[in-house]
Amino acid sequence: MRASQRALAVALTAAAASAAPGAARAQGVVGDGVTAFERQVDAVHEVVDGWLDRTGPFGDVVRRVHVGGFASGIHFDAQDDAQLGEPDTELWDARLFVDVDLAGELSLRGRTWLRSAGLSAEWNVYRLGYRDDDLGEAYLELQGLLDSSWANVQAGRFHIPVGEAYLRYGKGTKDNPFVTNGVSGPWWWDEGVKLYGSEAAGRFGYVASVTNGETDRDFGLDDGDQYTLKLWVDPTRWLHLSASALYSGRMGSPEAPANAALWLGETWASGFGSLTPIPSLTDGRVVPAAPSGALDDTTYLGVDAVLTHPAGARLWLSYGSYEIDSDGSSIYDRRLHGWIAELVLEGRLASPVLEPFYVALRANGLGTYDDGRGYLLDIRYGWTFGYDMRALDEYALVVGWRLGRYVTLKAQASFQDVSLVRGTSEMRSAADDAHYVAFALEVHF
């Protein structure tokens, strides 16, 4: 680890304790500018609302359209082997969200058949520092079918409803306390139909989906072969529990190797050896890529627990197991284990003066944790370690400063440990260090 990174880690750890004497002064200096910015945004809203009020029916139509967005600029200082990004200052993430209210309550003969209908779409301009210009979510939503809180539908392209991590990859991006996402959380978009609902008081509910099961975008909803079910319960105001399951059937062929829809961090189930030129080892011996490139099926099972204390503390614990069954020989079968332990402490726990600040810690990992069998645990390591990665573990510390309703400043230190399967001694020197520090300025509206 570089000396500068050691120093930064120590500084981040001590920030909350040492910030109190100067926090009010710093908040005043920077806060004045942020407050002025917020006032300008509010003034624009007032002008637009006044104009819409004067346009009659046209204003009512436009008012049904809601536009939001998120953008982050980031500066990296990374080890040579950290695949997350080059040392640079760049636009890291930028996306737009559009929601359209199509209809309110629909009733017939005194009975409510539908509470509301709408359209939602997400356009990804940048993602992970790369220009994307691609569609994220895009779906039609019908809420309160037959006036029931249990019957709500989304049809189109949406985040696969497994676990809790995916909630940070769309509109929830602004709620991520870290600069980067973890290495093991399940997510990605897929096309199909999603059903969700809860009992009236919102204490327990479900989310289920049927989708086509492939990473590539395909709006053909008739070939759905991936099924998910998530059950959740809030037994108390401070505890949220969920259990998730996913099953995906056969996919892929020799001409088009499988690429499953569910991602864990930045990897997914694929035809073994198909995404890399690096020789793949199993039990210490080089094996060829899976001949068919197909998968018989995949199965994910996971549990999450989120504890939120009103005083300003949040703990998230997660574990998931992903079974990947390849076509043909069992030497290509793999089971991946993903885990997350995350703690967020608000500054107000220490002092009211520190309320705009927070500190967060994250430990998470993904791997086979089998010395003889590895997998490609992050696509960015495809040309370095390929399918010979035994585990990818990350430990992160971040200090955040909420400068206002729309702006957050963050500083993060992350320490990644890459371990390889046996028989890869010539690669191990490249797997020693994969650490980085990152500073981000985020804006959302």
Side-chain angles (χ1 to χ4, degrees), residues 88-100:
D88 197 5
T89 301
E90 59 188 359
L91 182 60
W92 179 248
D93 193 299
R95 61 188 75 190
L96 289 173
F97 306 101
V98 179
D99 296 287
V100 181

Side-chain angles (χ1 to χ4, degrees), residues 32-367:
D32 288 345
V34 174
T35 301
F37 169 73
E38 291 178 344
R39 287 174 178 168
Q40 291 176 352
V41 173
D42 292 339
V44 171
H45 287 169
E46 291 177 4
V47 171
V48 172
D49 288 342
W51 177 77
L52 291 175
D53 288 338
R54 294 191 298 271
T55 56
F58 177 77
D60 292 338
V61 172
V62 174
R63 208 186 303 275
R64 292 176 178 269
V65 180
H66 309 277
V67 179
F70 175 86
S72 63
I74 194 169
H75 173 75
F76 275 116
D77 182 12
Q79 294 282 357
D80 293 339
D81 300 315
Q83 301 296 313
L84 191 67
E86 298 293 331
D88 197 5
T89 301
E90 59 188 359
L91 182 60
W92 179 248
D93 193 299
R95 61 188 75 190
L96 289 173
F97 306 101
V98 179
D99 296 287
V100 181
D101 297 330
L102 297 179
E105 183 174 303
L106 299 179
S107 301
L108 181 64
R109 295 181 179 178
R111 181 173 184 179
T112 298
W113 294 90
L114 179 69
R115 291 178 185 168
S116 66
L119 290 172
S120 293
E122 172 191 3
W123 187 256
N124 296 312
V125 184
Y126 270 81
R127 181 178 173 272
L128 302 184
Y130 295 96
R131 187 65 180 264
D132 200 10
D133 282 331
D134 198 8
L135 189 67
E137 291 192 302
Y139 57 82
L140 168 69
E141 184 164 27
L142 304 177
Q143 294 186 333
L145 294 172
L146 300 179
D147 199 24
S148 172
S149 62
W150 290 101
N152 307 280
V153 179
Q154 291 179 1
R157 177 174 168 87
F158 45 79
H159 280 287
I160 302 169
V162 168
E164 302 293 327
Y166 75 95
L167 299 172
R168 289 182 177 173
Y169 284 81
K171 295 175 183 176
T173 299
K174 63 182 178 60
D175 300 319
N176 185 358
F178 293 86
V179 175
T180 60
N181 292 304
V183 301
S184 60
W187 71 291
W188 196 253
W189 307 271
D190 206 8
E191 297 77 39
V193 178
K194 177 167 72 175
L195 305 176
Y196 67 96
S198 67
E199 56 94 25
R203 291 172 297 183
F204 57 89
Y206 77 97
V207 189
S209 69
V210 179
T211 59
N212 62 39
E214 297 181 351
T215 284
D216 296 336
R217 185 172 62 238
D218 179 3
F219 277 97
L221 304 183
D222 55 339
D223 295 326
D225 198 20
Q226 178 170 276
Y227 309 92
T228 73
L229 176 62
K230 173 180 172 180
L231 302 176
W232 59 267
V233 60
D234 293 345
T236 69
R237 296 178 59 184
W238 51 268
L239 178 61
H240 174 81
L241 302 171
S242 67
S244 303
L246 173 147
Y247 173 82
S248 182
R250 184 176 178 82
M251 69 183 74
S253 66
E255 295 76 24
N259 288 296
L262 184 69
W263 285 34
L264 301 183
E266 292 297 320
T267 193
W268 58 90
S270 59
F272 189 85
S274 64
L275 299 176
T276 175
I278 304 299
S280 302
L281 286 84
T282 297
D283 297 325
R285 298 179 293 107
V286 175
V287 298
S292 76
L295 300 178
D296 278 341
D297 57 68
T298 67
T299 305
Y300 177 87
L301 298 173
V303 292
D304 290 79
V306 181
L307 297 87
T308 305
H309 195 284
R314 184 179 187 272
L315 176 65
W316 173 28
L317 302 174
S318 176
Y319 171 76
S321 173
Y322 196 28
E323 189 82 28
I324 305 170
D325 291 330
S326 296
D327 181 39
S329 174
S330 62
I331 65 171
Y332 300 116
D333 294 344
R334 293 293 184 270
R335 174 177 290 177
L336 303 184
H337 305 271
W339 57 276
I340 300 171
E342 177 184 294
L343 176 65
V344 180
L345 300 174
E346 298 292 340
R348 65 177 184 271
L349 285 169
S351 168
V353 177
L354 295 176
E355 184 167 358
F357 297 88
Y358 68 87
V359 176
L361 302 168
R362 179 176 70 201
N364 63 136
L366 176 67

